[in-house]
Every structure is written in structure tokens, then in C-alpha cells.
Amino acid sequence: MLWRLVRRSMRERRAHVALTLLAVAVTAALATALLGVTFAIRERMARELRAFGANILIVPRSAPLAVTVGSLRYVPSQEEAYLEESELARLKTIFWRHNIVAFAPFLSRTVEVAGQRALLVGTWFDKRVDVPVPSRRFSFASGASREVAAVEGGWNTGLEALVPSWQVDGRWVREGSGGALVGRALAARLAIEPGQTLEVELEGRRARFPVHGLLRTGGVEEDQIFVELAAAQALFGRPGRVEKVQVSALVTPDNALAVRARTVGPESLPPSEYETWYCTPYLDSIVFQIEEALTGARGTAIRQVAEAEQAFLGKVTGVFVLSSALGLATAGLGVAATTARAIFERRAEVGLMKALGGDRRQIARLLLVEAGVTGLGGGIVGALLGVALTRVIGLWVFATPIESHVLLLLAILGVAPGVALLGALGPLRAALAVPAATTLSAE
Amino acid sequence: MTLIVVRDLTKEYDGRKLRALDRVSLDVASGEWLALMGPSGSGKTTLLNLIAGLDTPTSGTVVVDGAPVHALDEAERARFRRDTVGVVFQHFHLIPYLTAVENVMLAQYFHSLADEAEAADALVRVGLGDRLHHRPPELSGGEQQRVAIARALINQPKLVVADEPTGNLDADNEAVVLETFQKLHAQGHTILLVTHDPRVGALADRRISLDHGRIMSAGLEMDFDNARWKRGERQS
Ligand SMILES: Nc1ncnc2c1ncn2[C@@H]1O[C@H](COP(=O)(O)OP(=O)(O)O)[C@@H](O)[C@H]1O
Ligand SMILES: [Mg+2]
């Protein structure tokens, strides 16, 4: 009988029910889309920062004057300067060794491929690194010393760990396989596919690489060729040499001490502050420790870009969350007002139901079930609209559709009837307070 | 046996100096049909509401079937109305979007369980067997009032109160509705009926007349031939 009554009542007031449903649906759609997009931005932000990967660039102290043209790079040979590949394992012996998440060395030259020019990059894909020092004691001017535990045994790192967001059609190159990854754009120009062999030439020397995969990065790497470092060193005639290393390190955000150390130079800090600075994983102190570890190395913090980006995305997210909250509050009030009006208009009916012997609980149940059903209906419609809206916004902002989280949708389906019920509560109390006689003797 | 005992019942509406009901005392026997008469504004509806537990008095007592109606809290009054009273209004007060049978079922639903067959049966008994699934707007005034009577009776209340039940009906419908009340009376229902029509009042066992909230006369003899009316001859 309850459902029969609710059905009849809703059919009777279908215009009003439709309006309420619309209000709930719009609210729910807004909530789904705004929250969905906000989550997606946060997720993408995190992934992009991870994709950016390296936050430290290590180059030789006497860095060569390199000329970069698009994806190509030219180095005058008399100005060449290098880092030693054999020293790289020392990166895992510094004080903040455990914060070095990944790194990869690079050595590159522009080569000829089937009559075209392309940058051939030698690197580590997933290289086994044997860490030389078991454990190490760091002593400070204050007399304090700290022991840092060893990195157990060996450790694998390289491009795969440094830039996990890069996508490979085919497979990654295994160390020692002699294979190559070819940028997607270059592969298209060369009409080459995984499984085929790439022949490159540099100053009369030739090398052949079986293509294991095509690389999708969304950047200049799609015009480049990646091979194992040793193969590149052999082709370029530079055994054991590396021109730069990119490092991904977990760092603490800068504070006043970090800023002071950067302006005056860490050596000018009082000993105790120096110790604190050294023993805090600031980007600068890790760079400092890397420079200590590698001969002739200069570290650069790739900070500005990442931080500016992060700050910007943070603000964008903030604006989104704020406007979501305001939009939802407004829409929620609208829903509550519509529900409130519906119940206000039914005071006479409530009075009659009381006269017929209905108690507060029975009458409240009738009205609340109706409000809840309307809210749930609106929530379902709104969630569906929201899923579509989220996809559209995703296509517009990121050029890829954003999928809505199931949990978010479930939450919306829970909250939508909740808002309608909340809106119903106030006027319901008022309506139930009306004595039966008053509404009935009114003529 | 006395079903209703009213003593010194007084009602003052908020913000009104005058008493709508002024120290009214009254007994109604079980199975009795009492007509409440008097001019408009004399307090008839007020008295009915207080006896039916639809409103609360300013002072005085109402005891119906042993229940101290004046002293009940809201939940207890709801239960009292549900179990003891059936109400019929001048303006029918059916729910417009429910069919005739659903309007009757609503009273069942509030009482215990809705039973469509039983509700339909009640409508058949008031001559509406072919109107079960019509909505109030599709029914004549008399038909609507008979639906309301079926609704008032569906839970077998000890007391039926009716506030000018024929006030909004034409002569033909009035006759049908009054016949229904006579049947109820014959079945032993206690009826409290408000009217200012002497012909309607004449059908009751007893009449009391209110004026300015006080009882003016009881058992007043009317200039009305009840027997002639029952034979179907119209009075002028
Ligand atoms: N809800 C109310 N609020 C204020 N005054 C009321 C209310 N109901 C009735 N009255 C007043 O109480 C008096 C009696 O009214 P009522 O019982 O409706 O008379 P009757 O039914 O005999 O016409 C009238 O003066 C009327 O105006
Ligand atoms: Mg009245």
C-alpha cells in the first residue's frame, strides 16, 4: 500500500516531481563531473610529476657547449666532457642513498638512418647496479656521526624506472639483448615496426639494432632511437663515457633553511645548521651529496618547472573544489527548497491523514519515501549525465575522456536522496505540527 | 450504556476573546443518533472536533468509550481516532489522486493492513460497486460523500461523527446519504451529526442546539413530519 500511495501521489504531482528530479539530477551531475574532474586532475598531476621523473640533472662540470635543434643535438668534439659510467653506482652511497628512486645515464649523437638524421641515445633500460660500499659513517664538525645502512646487494634502475609513464608498443629492451626502442614518429617516417632491424651510421661506422618496441612519450623522444649505453659507447667510440645522468630523488619541500643554504652556500652555514641541512633530503642537499660522490660532476635541480606546475595545478584543483562546493551547496539548497515546497503544499493532506487516524510516523514515512525516491531517481539520472559530462570535460581539457570512479557514483547515489530528505525534514515537522482540525475546518 | 461523557467543555481559540465553546456538558448513549444544531459560528464543529480527538479543549473533559480524550497526548489521540472514530466532512475530503477504493484503503492502511477486497465490499454496501476505480473528480457529490462514509466505517469505529455531511449535496444525493446514515443507525452505530437543516435533524433520536458556544435546548421538537419525509414526500 505504501508504494501504491507513493506511486499515485508522484503521478499526481508529476510536474513537480519532474522539477525536483531535475534539480537533483543537475546537482548530482555537477557533483559527479566536478569531483570526477578534480580527482582526475589530482591523479594526472601525481602521474605527471612521476612521469617527469627526474628532478636532478647531472652533467660534467665543464659542460660542453651543445647545440640542440629539435630532437637533435650537436657537440663540437674539441669541447667534449664526460662523466664516468663506472662511478654511477656511488649515487647509492650518499647520505640520502635511499631517496634516490631511479636514475639513468645518457650518451647521444645524431646518426644517419636510411638517409635521415635522428638522435641515437644510449642509456640504461633496467640495469643491475652493484653498490660498492656496504654501509657508511658520516661524521660532522659537531662531532656527531651517523651511520647509514647499506643498500642490500644489488639494485636495478634505468629508463623504465625513471620514466614509468612512457609507453612502449612491443616490448622494452632487456639489458644485453642489443635491441632498440624507436620513437613512434620516427618509426612512422622510416616505416619500421617491432621485429625489424634498424641500421644506423655515424662517421662511416655502422651498427644494426633489432627494434623491440615503438616509444610513445608525447615529447621529442618520439623522434629518437634508444639503445643500450654500451652499444652507443661502442658506436661513438667513447667507451665508459656518459654525457649526463637524470636522477629521480624523493625530496622534502624547501623551507627557510634550504633557501638560506642556497643563497649563502651550504659551506657558509654554521656547523649545526649545516648538519641539519645535510641530513635533510632537500633537493639541494641531495644535489650537493651527488656532486661530492662523482668526480667532475655538476648537479642541477630541475625544480622551477615542476614546482611552478605543481603550484599551478594545485591552484586549479583548489578553484575546482571551491566552485564544486559552492555549486553543490546552491544546487542542494534548490533541491531542499523544492522538496520543502512540495510538502508545504500538502499540509491539508497531512491534516486529513491525521483525521483518518494516521500517526506521525506513518505520515512521515509516506512523505519521506516520496522525497527519497525522487532524490534517488534524480541521483541516478544525474550520475549518468555526470559520467557523460566528465568524459566531455576530459576530452576538452586533456584530450582524453575521464572515466568516473565507481565509488564516486555510489557516493552520489547515496547523497542525492540524502539531500532531498534533508530538505524534506524541516517542512515535514511543520506540516505534522498542524492540528487535524485546523486544516479540515478551513473552507 | 453511555458512550460519550462531556463535562464543562470549553474552547478558546488563540487570539480570540470569545469562547467558541462555553462549559458544555453532554451525555450520548451507545447507539444513539444525536444531531448538533444551531446557527453558523455557534460552536458545532468545535464540539465535534473535541469529541473526535481532532483538537484539544482549553478546559473541561471529554470521555469517549472510557478514554479521556482531553488528556491524551498527540500519539494517543492519533491512536484514539484510528481505533474509535470515523469522520465524515461536509467537503468530503477525499484524496483526489486516489481511486474510491484506495481512499478507503488509506484508512485501513493507517489502522492496520490495507485489504482491497474488504474496501471494495464497503463501497458495494454504500451502492458504489461500479465506481471502485473512479477518482473523486469523476464522482458526483453524493458518490464522494458515500466513499467518505465507507472510509469512515471501514475500521468499525464505535463512533461516527459527521459535520454537515449533506451541506454540499443536492436533494437526490442528500436523500441517498441520509439513507446510509439511517442504515448505520439501524446497525447500532453511535452517530454525532452536525446540521442546521431541521429536516436532517429530525431523523436523529435527539437534537441539541448550540448558540454562542452554549447548549440552548435539548430534544427540541421540530415542526417537521418525520414519517412523511421517510415516505419520500418532499417538505417545503
Ligand atoms: N481555528 C479557529 N481559529 C479561531 N477561531 C475559530 C477557529 N475555528 C472556529 N473558530 C471560531 O469559533 C466559533 C465557533 O466556530 P465553529 O465551531 O466552526 O462554529 P459552527 O461549526 O457552529 O459554524 C466561531 O466564532 C469561529 O469563528
Ligand atoms: Mg461548522
Side-chain angles (χ1 to χ4, degrees):
Chain A
M1 188 64 191
L2 175 71
W3 293 107
R4 191 164 170 179
L5 290 170
V6 168
R7 213 166 51 230
R8 288 272 191 229
S9 162
M10 286 178 73
R11 194 183 299 169
E12 169 74 6
R13 271 173 281 273
R14 52 190 168 275
H16 196 284
V17 168
L19 199 70
T20 313
L21 206 115
L22 193 72
V24 178
V26 169
T27 313
L30 263 175
T32 311
L34 290 175
L35 292 175
V37 170
T38 306
F39 289 163
I41 288 181
R42 293 196 145 273
E43 217 174 270
R44 248 158 245 243
M45 197 164 99
R47 205 181 324 143
E48 231 124 79
L49 289 174
R50 229 178 300 133
F52 193 77
N55 49 2
I56 297 170
L57 174 67
I58 311 169
V59 294
R61 200 180 301 272
S62 50
L65 181 73
V67 182
T68 307
V69 182
S71 66
L72 305 179
R73 185 168 175 274
Y74 301 90
V75 183
S77 56
Q78 69 273 18
E79 290 191 34
E80 285 178 11
Y82 295 100
L83 299 167
E84 292 298 323
E85 183 184 0
S86 58
E87 286 187 3
L88 294 185
R90 293 189 199 164
L91 288 176
K92 290 298 275 185
T93 67
I94 65 170
F95 186 86
W96 284 110
R97 63 188 69 170
H98 295 289
N99 284 39
I100 304 289
V101 177
F103 66 87
F106 297 93
L107 184 69
S108 59
R109 287 289 185 279
T110 301
V111 298
E112 303 251 348
V113 197
Q116 298 204 28
R117 329 196 96 206
L119 193 73
L120 182 85
V121 183
T123 188
W124 291 355
F125 291 95
D126 187 30
K127 180 89 166 178
R128 175 117 187 131
V129 181
D130 292 311
V131 183
V133 186
S135 84
R136 212 172 130 193
R137 178 166 293 279
F138 291 82
S139 307
F140 296 93
S142 62
S145 74
R146 300 192 188 192
E147 177 99 17
V148 179
V151 174
E152 280 300 325
W155 178 70
N156 278 36
T157 193
L159 210 52
E160 269 197 75
L162 189 70
V163 283
S165 66
W166 286 11
Q167 295 189 336
V168 172
D169 298 333
R171 56 193 166 89
W172 278 91
V173 172
R174 296 270 74 84
E175 292 291 335
S177 68
L181 292 184
V182 179
R184 184 171 60 156
L186 178 63
R189 284 204 302 280
L190 298 173
I192 200 157
E193 287 179 3
Q196 297 182 319
T197 301
L198 192 74
E199 190 166 321
V200 304
E201 190 189 328
L202 176 72
E203 296 155 7
R205 287 188 294 270
R206 289 170 187 281
R208 295 163 59 87
F209 300 101
V211 178
H212 287 181
L214 304 186
L215 197 56
R216 283 190 287 141
T217 68
V220 291
E221 299 83 4
E222 296 194 354
D223 284 310
Q224 302 176 347
I225 305 162
F226 288 82
V227 300
E228 287 173 63
L229 183 60
Q233 288 166 337
L235 180 64
F236 305 156
R238 299 286 182 275
R241 298 294 170 85
V242 167
E243 69 199 8
K244 66 177 180 185
V245 179
Q246 288 191 9
V247 182
S248 168
L250 293 176
V251 298
T252 297
D254 284 352
N255 60 7
L257 176 60
V259 172
R260 187 136 38 85
R262 194 176 324 139
T263 30
V264 304
E267 289 88 347
S268 312
L269 293 173
S272 67
E273 282 193 352
Y274 173 81
E275 187 180 334
T276 310
W277 178 82
Y278 194 94
C279 298
T280 307
Y282 300 120
L283 192 46
D284 284 338
S285 52
I286 293 181
V287 168
F288 183 85
Q289 290 164 12
I290 289 174
E291 288 177 347
E292 282 181 329
L294 304 182
T295 37
R298 183 164 60 82
T300 313
I302 315 174
R303 175 195 291 113
Q304 293 79 0
V305 184
E307 276 183 0
E309 212 167 326
Q310 196 162 11
F312 173 71
L313 281 174
K315 273 179 199 155
V316 169
T317 325
V319 168
F320 252 88
V321 169
L322 194 70
S323 51
S324 309
L326 284 177
L328 286 181
T330 317
L333 280 179
V335 170
T338 334
T339 319
R341 213 191 120 123
I343 289 185
F344 186 79
E345 283 172 353
R346 294 177 71 178
R347 277 168 315 159
E349 201 177 309
V350 169
L352 172 61
M353 288 178 170
K354 281 182 152 188
L356 295 179
D359 61 32
R360 293 174 66 99
R361 201 186 311 168
Q362 289 170 319
I363 297 169
R365 195 189 301 144
L366 273 176
L367 299 182
L368 289 180
V369 164
E370 191 170 325
V373 165
T374 311
L376 188 64
I380 292 172
V381 173
L384 291 176
L385 283 177
V387 169
L389 195 60
T390 312
R391 292 181 68 96
V392 170
I393 294 177
L395 283 173
W396 176 51
V397 178
F398 299 112
T400 55
I402 299 172
E403 298 306 333
S404 304
H405 277 282
V406 175
L407 278 180
L408 176 61
L409 293 181
L410 288 179
I412 295 289
L413 291 187
V415 169
V419 171
L421 290 178
L422 222 61
L425 279 184
L428 178 67
R429 290 181 83 155
L432 287 176
V434 174
T438 317
T439 36
L440 295 175
S441 50
E443 282 161 15
Chain B
M1 195 201 127
T2 312
L3 184 72
I4 304 173
V5 180
V6 174
R7 290 289 175 270
D8 292 326
L9 198 62
T10 299
K11 177 72 180 180
E12 286 163 10
Y13 286 106
D14 293 339
R16 296 243 172 170
K17 280 232 166 73
L18 285 176
R19 292 179 163 183
L21 215 57
D22 192 4
R23 282 173 284 129
V24 167
S25 296
L26 174 72
D27 288 356
V28 181
S30 194
E32 186 179 13
W33 179 348
L34 178 72
L36 286 175
M37 310 194 62
S40 189
S42 58
K44 306 182 295 292
T45 298
T46 302
L47 178 57
L48 205 71
N49 284 343
L50 294 178
I51 293 174
L54 290 167
D55 206 351
T56 47
T58 308
S59 64
T61 61
V62 183
V63 177
V64 178
D65 195 26
V69 181
H70 59 277
L72 301 180
D73 66 19
E74 197 192 322
E76 290 164 338
R77 261 186 292 129
R79 212 172 308 135
F80 165 74
R81 288 193 295 265
R82 189 187 69 193
D83 295 336
T84 314
V85 191
V87 195
V88 178
F89 309 94
Q90 179 178 356
H91 296 276
F92 324 137
H93 286 303
L94 297 176
I95 292 188
Y97 56 82
L98 297 181
T99 63
V101 75
E102 285 166 345
N103 264 286
V104 177
M105 287 164 74
L106 185 63
Q108 290 179 313
Y109 171 70
F110 287 140
H111 183 265
S112 47
L113 266 183
D115 179 341
E116 186 157 7
E118 193 185 84
D121 224 44
L123 286 171
V124 169
R125 279 200 298 275
V126 293
L128 290 175
D130 57 346
R131 293 282 187 278
L132 298 181
H133 301 295
H134 288 60
R135 311 249 181 112
E138 301 158 2
L139 298 173
S140 73
E143 288 170 332
Q144 289 188 50
Q145 195 59 300
R146 279 183 280 154
V147 174
I149 293 170
R151 178 179 67 184
L153 296 176
I154 193 68
N155 298 318
Q156 272 107 38
K158 289 210 165 123
L159 173 65
V160 178
V161 302
D163 194 353
E164 308 205 33
T166 57
N168 267 29
L169 299 181
D170 59 33
D172 290 345
N173 276 312
E174 178 180 43
V176 177
V177 166
L178 287 177
E179 243 171 65
T180 311
F181 274 99
Q182 284 173 303
K183 265 193 238 165
L184 291 181
H185 183 45
Q187 288 161 11
H189 282 93
T190 307
I191 300 172
L192 216 58
L193 188 144
V194 168
T195 182
H196 49 240
D197 184 341
R199 295 170 306 150
V200 177
L203 297 174
D205 298 329
R206 183 158 65 103
R207 285 150 291 278
I208 59 168
S209 194
L210 285 173
D211 194 17
H212 291 98
R214 298 182 186 210
I215 292 182
M216 298 310 290
S217 57
L220 192 75
E221 283 311 311
M222 296 284 169
D223 177 21
F224 183 81
D225 187 339
N226 203 9
R228 256 181 78 199
W229 193 88
K230 278 182 180 167
R231 284 196 306 275
E233 293 169 29
R234 311 219 55 97
Q235 313 270 325
S236 52

